[in-house]
Amino acid sequence: MNYIDPVLHNYAWGSHTFIQQFLNIEHPEPLAEAWYSAHPQAPSMVGKSPLDVLIKQNPEYWLGSINSKLPFLLKVLAADQALSLQVHPSKKQAEEGFIRENDKQIPIDAPQRNYRDDNHKPEMIMALTDFYAMCGFRNYNDIIMLFKHFKLGTLFSTYQYFAKDPSPDSFQAFYQEILERKPMPQLAEHILKLHNSDRWENELKWTKYLLSLYPEDCTAISPLLLNLIHLKPFQAIFLESGIVHAYLQGAGIEIMAASDNVLRAGLSPKHIDVEELLKVMRYSPYQPSIYPAQSAKHHLIEYSNPTSDFLLSRVLIDSKYSLPNKSGVRILLNLDGDCTLLHKSEEIHLKKGSAVILPSAKQDISIIGNAHIIMASDGTK
């Protein structure tokens, strides 16, 4: 059992307060993410050694297998502003895209590179505060109703085709026109003049907000196309491959497969490959399931998901609790309270904001104290 220190990332969309207060540190710039991982570009430190180096030296001890790669990346995420609109590829798409771009000799760190590795990137976000996001296309009839209500149909040449015969094919043509981001000053001008409507108040509010950040980006109308999600603390959503999404505001725990494969669709000055996006994204309506917060009566709350790359759990300690044995490495992050982890004659104190890493070789762990802990592990049963 060892302490693990996060790597901090101060992106412009981050918060000036949340991670700073959680980790009890002073940091004048906005902090967006705290990473607990073996990511080669930003590995967490375990003692005086980077985690990726430790795993390569003894994968059997850390991971319980000869595989030398930690399959997940755990983050504390805090967003004061919206993140980019994006899509993640499937495993097959990532493998094919990675080979294709390698054959073209596109440098891994090139801005125009789509696939930086050959892995998929399923992910889950669990809210720590009120958390707002967009995820998955709305029911087509709702999109048509919104465009009629706000009188937007005449601004896009492909809209009438979609409205007349709503289908994945007609919607793809309509969405492609939006993705191509041709300057449309009349779009922002029209929307900013609209008055709030009781029925679509949130949709209009978020659209105006995104237009204030990206006035020349047509994808700022995404709240009219995607489902708006409001998570309460400890609710979560799982993001599948091909699903268009963006985080809007709030703080949470994010866990994902170890991959850098992000195809941006808008709300960003970074490279956008519309042709590749059209191949990867899913156009059918998709409503993500919201994982409930669940009762605090349970000691172990698992946020089960379809992937084997990761499993996110909450551990609620009120006196003493024995962690179920599980092969593979685990990272424990204390959200609140104070506790001590025990393994044979070894013990380690875990206060709020601190984290420990448990190698696969160490089982039969018990916890004493009163605490609320996040546990990240691989998703194998």
Side-chain angles (χ1 to χ4, degrees):
M1 299 187 296
N2 303 87
Y3 290 113
I4 179 170
D5 297 320
V7 177
L8 305 179
H9 295 269
N10 54 324
Y11 307 136
W13 50 262
S15 167
H16 286 273
T17 58
F18 187 86
I19 293 177
Q20 292 87 331
Q21 291 175 359
F22 177 67
L23 297 177
N24 194 27
I25 59 173
E26 292 186 7
H27 198 284
E29 297 178 324
L31 281 176
E33 297 177 341
W35 289 18
Y36 301 82
S37 77
H39 193 290
Q41 295 179 12
S44 298
M45 297 298 290
V46 177
K48 296 182 179 180
S49 301
L51 180 56
D52 60 334
V53 172
L54 290 174
I55 290 175
K56 286 179 183 177
Q57 290 173 344
N58 196 345
E60 185 72 32
Y61 172 82
W62 289 99
L63 305 180
S65 72
I66 58 173
N67 178 22
S68 61
K69 186 175 181 180
L70 183 69
F72 62 84
L73 190 160
L74 178 70
K75 299 180 182 179
V76 179
L77 180 147
D80 274 0
Q81 291 187 13
L83 281 66
S84 62
L85 193 66
Q86 57 190 255
V87 180
H88 304 309
S90 68
K91 179 68 174 171
K92 184 173 185 291
Q93 289 166 338
E95 289 171 344
E96 293 174 349
F98 187 65
I99 292 172
R100 187 168 60 248
E101 293 186 339
N102 282 346
D103 289 344
K104 293 179 180 179
Q105 299 184 328
I106 303 173
I108 288 290
D109 58 353
Q112 72 273 24
R113 178 109 189 187
N114 292 314
Y115 300 96
R116 302 185 188 280
D117 53 66
D118 64 355
N119 202 13
H120 62 168
K121 194 185 177 186
E123 63 187 37
M124 175 177 281
I125 184 79
M126 185 201 76
L128 294 176
T129 66
D130 283 308
F131 194 92
Y132 301 91
M134 301 183 292
C135 181
F137 291 120
R138 293 173 180 269
N139 180 283
Y140 291 154
N141 289 332
D142 287 346
I143 294 174
I144 293 167
M145 194 181 305
L146 277 158
F147 268 64
K148 286 181 178 177
H149 181 80
F150 292 123
K151 298 180 173 58
L152 295 171
T154 58
L155 298 178
F156 297 93
S157 61
T158 53
Y159 170 76
Q160 293 303 330
Y161 168 51
F162 164 64
K164 184 178 179 181
D165 180 24
S167 68
D169 287 342
S170 62
F171 182 73
Q172 178 178 344
F174 171 45
Y175 196 61
Q176 181 174 352
E177 184 179 358
I178 294 171
L179 286 176
E180 288 171 348
R181 303 197 301 175
K182 296 174 182 175
M184 290 183 64
Q186 68 273 33
L187 177 63
E189 183 180 342
H190 175 81
I191 288 176
L192 293 174
K193 287 180 180 177
L194 294 172
H195 298 293
N196 285 343
S197 163
D198 290 342
R199 183 173 184 185
W200 307 111
E201 181 179 358
N202 283 332
E203 284 77 3
L204 186 57
K205 179 189 75 172
W206 284 113
T207 301
K208 287 183 176 182
Y209 163 71
L210 293 177
L211 280 170
S212 72
L213 299 176
Y214 300 96
E216 297 181 1
D217 188 345
C218 291
T219 62
I221 65 169
S222 292
L224 310 180
L225 302 167
L226 304 178
N227 299 295
L228 286 174
I229 308 295
H230 177 193
L231 299 177
K232 293 292 186 180
F234 311 119
Q235 291 181 328
I237 54 172
F238 176 78
L239 301 171
E240 301 178 21
S241 62
I243 301 300
V244 184
H245 64 277
Y247 299 152
L248 294 169
Q249 197 174 71
I253 298 291
E254 188 179 33
I255 188 168
M256 62 188 66
S259 172
D260 282 329
N261 287 326
V262 174
L263 281 78
R264 288 176 176 83
L267 307 179
S268 172
K270 295 184 179 179
H271 171 68
I272 293 177
D273 185 336
V274 174
E275 183 179 352
E276 191 65 21
L277 273 169
L278 295 174
K279 297 175 185 175
V280 169
M281 66 173 53
R282 294 194 236 169
Y283 298 96
S284 298
Y286 174 87
Q287 177 71 51
S289 299
I290 294 180
Y291 291 71
Q294 293 197 35
S295 168
K297 295 178 182 178
H298 302 279
H299 282 296
L300 179 65
I301 299 169
E302 294 183 341
Y303 293 77
S304 300
N305 69 80
T307 180
S308 62
D309 296 88
F310 60 78
L311 175 65
L312 184 69
S313 305
R314 289 163 55 212
V315 185
L316 301 164
I317 313 297
D318 56 10
S319 58
K320 185 175 182 179
Y321 179 68
S322 297
L323 278 181
N325 288 336
K326 186 183 187 306
S327 63
V329 69
R330 290 175 285 184
I331 295 175
L332 273 61
L333 172 64
N334 192 357
L335 293 182
D336 195 27
D338 200 277
C339 65
T340 300
L341 277 68
L342 306 172
H343 175 257
K344 297 181 179 178
S345 61
E346 184 182 4
E347 64 179 60
I348 189 167
H349 179 230
L350 196 61
K351 64 180 182 180
K352 177 183 176 180
S354 60
V356 297
I357 184 166
L358 307 179
S360 182
K362 294 194 176 181
Q363 302 291 330
D364 301 318
I365 306 287
S366 59
I367 309 175
I368 296 175
N370 195 307
H372 188 171
I373 295 170
I374 290 295
M375 181 168 69
S377 62
D378 66 51
T380 56
K381 301 300 181 183

